[in-house]
Amino acid sequence: MTTTQAPAPDELAALRQRYDLERERRVRPDGARQYLGTDAEFGYYAADPYAGEPAGREALHDTVDVAVIGGGFGGILAGARMRQQGVERVRIVEAGGDFGGTWYWNRYPGIHCDIESHVYLPMLDETGYVPEWKYSPGEEIRRHAMRIAQKYDLYTDALFSTAVTSLTWDAASETWIVATDRGDAFHATYVVTATGTLTEPKLPGIPGIETFRGHTFHTSRWDYAYTGGTPDGGLTGLAGKRVGIVGTGATGVQVIPMLAEDAEHVYVFQRTPSSVDVRGNRRTTAEDIGADQDGWARERRENFLRIVSGETADRDLVADGWTASAGLLEKLLPSFRREGQGPAFEAAYEVADAAKMNELRTRVERSVTDPGTAEKLKPWYRYACKRPTFSDKYYPAFNRDNVSLVDTADTHGIERVTEHGVVVGSDTYELDCLIFATGFSVGVSGVHSGKLPVHGRDGTQLLHAMAQEGPRSLHGFTSNNFPNLIRMGSLHNASSVNFTHVLDEQAVHAAALVAAAEAGDALLEPSRASEDAWISVMAKDAPDHEWFHAGCTPGYYNREGLGRPNSPSAYPHGAVAFHELLKQWREESVDEVLRPRTVHRDSTVTPDGNGS
């Protein structure tokens, strides 16, 4: 936990009251229903601005060994680890025009990762790449995704600008039929779903949004044809333009300073301010981070994972805002191993939390010259209520004459959009451009959104089964009635602020499962008893964080103020322990998920690869 000056008991009481007041100002009865998807009339918000109209091609009806749904880091890592296990035909199907996932779609001005690049970028040891910056810009990350795909020959069978529309188990051939929106219906012996947790852009359901006559877009589909410039800035198309931006989360914090440099005027519409800590980005060299040593990147990311998961470490290799405040992530990650329990722990936690938030609020006062604006930018909630953000440019942007902060807490957001601008209370703001930095529907990927129906053994529909009985799996990867289907993601798995590390461990596990099935001429499918046992493990020590998040200001961590569900959705003992559990299980108990095939075939997978 942080070591700044501890607040007195009367200050803690006052803070609790202030936090409750600020929460009540922002809670809306419609909760998450306040947002719109990008279907139907708003579909153009999700269109691909980078690839253009996809080139025509013949529909595919062939057979591959492994089909991976999703071309972000999860899918790329799954493909790479499959290659290391000797899998010959790996086909990645991706809705975007190239690899990269969220880094393909998000190319807005100022975009950087908020996790240190040397631990965030996967497979640095394998590719020999050393990031140029402590916190990589988006383009460096996107190019690294492509670098991995090229190294492991994932472009050969990839299908881009293609969305999978259904997965159907074919019992006669014991393969999956993968159907797409391009007319494909090919077979795959194994399917890995890696559709991510931040894939569906969301828009605020503001009355009149469809009537606005100015220019508008979502930050995940940045329109450089209109703004000019690049992710590095130079938005010359905004000269003389009045620009409104909705949203002050991690995206808004990065975009707003860039808009301020070129637009005539920027109106920042804020419901809840982010906590914004020091960024301190800088160029790095191989010598800075010990990249001349074998396995340097694995050591560094393991060190980071241990610290942010509450484990002990001899030293802090990353030494940034995340690791300095790691103890305060306990309410965000079920992975923190408490040193104490009960009232004494909670009391100490609250004191450390208040000290850190006081430090961040003091930073606002010292950075923003106008007291009224500074007060509106102060985060009045506890540290783990929202994902922390980091910037050295955000607060100074509000000292510019051409930037105005419009607080919408008391009106629960923008009240309505007109043909020429937006209305907040008694004020109307005329705009030429309205930008939505409103994020994504968290955790709503293809399978969980219903856009990707999965029909398993005897026609069992995955989403229907989950609705009937709740999520069932073994380790989050495989489920009964869905042979040879491996799911990647956060459900029933480990969690960490550095999700690419978690994804890589998942990819290693997925590839090992395929190798084991091939070696045993078997299908991958756990029994219901195995699922029951895993669900019991998940539930036994699940931390009770619902009360904490119910007291937070609304956001995606607490279902827009409705409280965080206290279901056992992640392994309760942390990512470090979970990865060790998986490794041991692979060595001792992988036969638990192997079932005899009824349709035999020649193996194309060599089970002695180095990915396990």
Side-chain angles (χ1 to χ4, degrees):
M1 297 185 183
T2 53
T3 57
T4 49
Q5 185 175 357
D10 58 340
E11 183 182 357
L12 285 177
L15 275 178
R16 293 187 201 112
Q17 293 181 349
R18 181 66 185 269
Y19 290 171
D20 287 343
L21 174 65
E22 296 295 337
R23 177 185 184 276
E24 291 306 312
R25 288 179 65 204
R26 293 168 171 86
V27 173
R28 292 172 50 136
D30 51 357
R33 296 192 306 276
Q34 68 189 271
Y35 294 105
L36 303 171
T38 51
D39 296 323
E41 62 182 308
F42 298 110
Y44 63 92
Y45 280 101
D48 189 340
Y50 314 116
E53 190 68 24
R57 62 171 176 81
E58 294 292 327
L60 298 179
H61 302 280
D62 55 353
T63 300
V64 298
D65 299 316
V66 178
V68 181
I69 316 305
F73 272 125
I76 294 167
L77 291 167
R81 299 303 183 184
M82 293 290 173
R83 285 279 194 251
Q84 290 180 336
Q85 289 285 11
V87 180
E88 292 183 5
R89 294 209 65 188
V90 177
R91 173 169 292 153
I92 296 181
V93 187
E94 163 58 35
D98 206 330
F99 289 112
T102 190
W103 300 103
Y104 173 85
W105 296 110
N106 288 277
R107 305 190 199 183
Y108 54 79
I111 183 171
H112 282 70
C113 186
D114 63 0
I115 302 292
E116 190 199 65
S117 57
H118 309 99
V119 299
Y120 180 81
L121 294 184
M123 302 192 88
L124 292 176
D125 292 319
E126 292 87 343
T127 59
Y129 183 68
V130 180
E132 297 179 24
W133 293 86
K134 185 171 177 65
Y135 301 98
S136 287
E139 186 62 11
E140 184 178 22
I141 300 172
R142 188 176 74 88
R143 290 190 178 279
H144 184 64
M146 298 167 66
R147 179 180 297 110
I148 298 172
Q150 290 163 351
K151 177 178 176 63
Y152 291 98
D153 192 29
L154 300 179
Y155 277 95
T156 299
D157 283 312
L159 298 179
F160 296 116
S161 300
T162 302
V164 176
T165 54
S166 69
L167 298 171
T168 305
W169 177 250
D170 179 33
S173 64
E174 290 186 332
T175 62
W176 287 93
I177 301 173
V178 183
T180 78
D181 62 354
R182 304 284 295 275
D184 306 300
F186 63 89
H187 288 249
T189 306
Y190 307 91
V191 169
V192 179
T193 59
T195 49
T197 59
L198 298 171
T199 60
E200 301 283 339
K202 65 183 181 183
L203 303 170
I206 306 170
I209 188 174
E210 73 283 356
T211 67
F212 182 61
R213 290 189 177 182
H215 201 76
T216 182
F217 53 87
H218 191 276
T219 50
S220 67
R221 307 293 190 271
W222 194 272
D223 189 353
Y224 284 106
Y226 177 81
T227 66
T230 70
D232 294 325
L235 311 178
T236 56
L238 297 182
K241 299 287 198 307
R242 299 159 299 179
V243 179
I245 182 167
V246 183
T248 53
T251 297
V253 164
Q254 296 182 89
V255 168
I256 287 163
M258 307 297 284
L259 294 174
E261 291 181 5
D262 293 292
E264 177 181 298
H265 204 94
V266 179
Y267 295 95
V268 179
F269 298 98
Q270 169 192 274
R271 180 180 67 167
T272 307
S274 287
S275 67
V276 186
D277 211 337
V278 175
R279 162 66 65 153
N281 199 10
R282 59 182 174 80
R283 286 192 177 275
T284 58
T285 66
E287 291 74 22
D288 290 337
I289 39 83
D292 54 339
Q293 302 294 318
D294 290 341
W296 70 272
R298 175 172 291 276
E299 179 187 10
R300 196 174 185 90
R301 73 174 189 174
E302 289 286 352
N303 176 265
F304 181 81
L305 183 68
R306 293 191 69 85
I307 292 172
V308 297
S309 298
E311 304 273 357
T312 58
D314 293 336
R315 55 180 178 152
D316 182 354
L317 295 177
V318 173
D320 68 356
W322 285 109
T323 58
S325 302
L328 298 178
L329 301 176
E330 189 269 339
K331 294 297 187 293
L332 177 59
L333 299 175
S335 55
F336 181 74
R337 289 187 171 184
R338 295 184 174 192
E339 296 177 359
Q341 295 285 343
F345 175 89
E346 295 299 344
Y349 182 91
E350 184 180 21
V351 168
D353 186 298
K356 179 62 180 178
M357 294 307 292
N358 282 344
E359 173 191 315
L360 294 175
R361 287 187 284 267
T362 298
R363 184 176 188 235
V364 180
E365 293 178 352
R366 292 174 177 172
S367 303
V368 180
T369 55
D370 178 66
T373 301
E375 189 61 32
K376 293 175 183 177
L377 287 168
K378 291 181 182 179
W380 293 101
Y381 46 79
R382 295 178 68 171
Y383 189 76
C385 282
K386 295 187 180 297
R387 186 176 176 100
T389 69
F390 304 88
S391 175
D392 299 328
K393 298 179 180 179
Y394 182 65
Y395 290 141
F398 291 94
N399 295 330
R400 300 177 63 116
D401 292 337
N402 69 327
V403 177
S404 298
L405 179 66
V406 182
D407 186 71
T408 68
D410 292 320
T411 57
H412 299 295
I414 295 172
E415 293 181 64
R416 67 181 186 277
V417 177
T418 69
E419 292 183 354
H420 305 292
V422 302
V423 177
V424 178
S426 59
D427 297 316
T428 299
Y429 300 88
E430 293 194 354
L431 304 172
D432 300 294
C433 178
L434 182 59
I435 301 170
F436 294 105
T438 44
F440 303 84
S441 298
V442 178
V444 182
S445 63
V447 173
H448 297 286
S449 68
K451 292 182 178 180
L452 175 50
V454 180
H455 298 274
R457 194 185 297 281
D458 300 321
T460 304
Q461 221 273 24
L462 180 60
L463 198 60
H464 178 72
M466 292 174 66
Q468 293 291 107
E469 298 187 274
R472 295 181 60 84
S473 78
L474 176 61
H475 302 144
F477 294 95
T478 55
S479 295
N480 185 259
N481 277 332
F482 299 91
N484 289 4
L485 177 68
I486 303 171
R487 303 199 304 275
M488 297 176 66
S490 56
L491 181 65
H492 289 184
N493 209 286
S495 59
S496 174
V497 295
N498 184 18
F499 198 52
T500 56
H501 187 174
V502 170
L503 287 174
D504 197 16
E505 295 288 346
Q506 291 181 10
V508 166
H509 190 72
L513 288 175
V514 169
E518 289 294 302
D521 194 26
L523 298 176
L524 294 170
E525 185 180 1
S527 65
R528 286 184 65 85
S530 294
E531 292 178 329
D532 289 338
W534 180 243
I535 292 170
S536 295
V537 168
M538 296 275 296
K540 182 176 181 296
D541 296 315
D544 180 8
H545 290 159
E546 184 174 11
W547 64 270
F548 178 91
H549 289 277
C552 290
T553 52
Y556 65 82
Y557 282 160
N558 67 356
R559 297 182 297 160
E560 295 298 331
L562 299 181
R564 191 177 192 181
N566 197 36
S567 59
S569 60
Y571 183 67
H573 298 298
V576 175
F578 182 69
H579 296 161
E580 285 297 320
L581 180 151
L582 288 184
K583 182 179 179 181
Q584 183 176 351
W585 181 88
R586 291 195 298 267
E587 294 171 350
E588 301 175 358
S589 306
V590 70
D591 290 350
E592 183 181 350
V593 295
L594 302 183
R595 289 192 179 195
R597 292 184 187 273
T598 58
V599 178
H600 297 282
R601 62 188 185 84
D602 293 333
S603 175
T604 60
V605 179
T606 304
D608 59 351
N610 61 7
S612 62

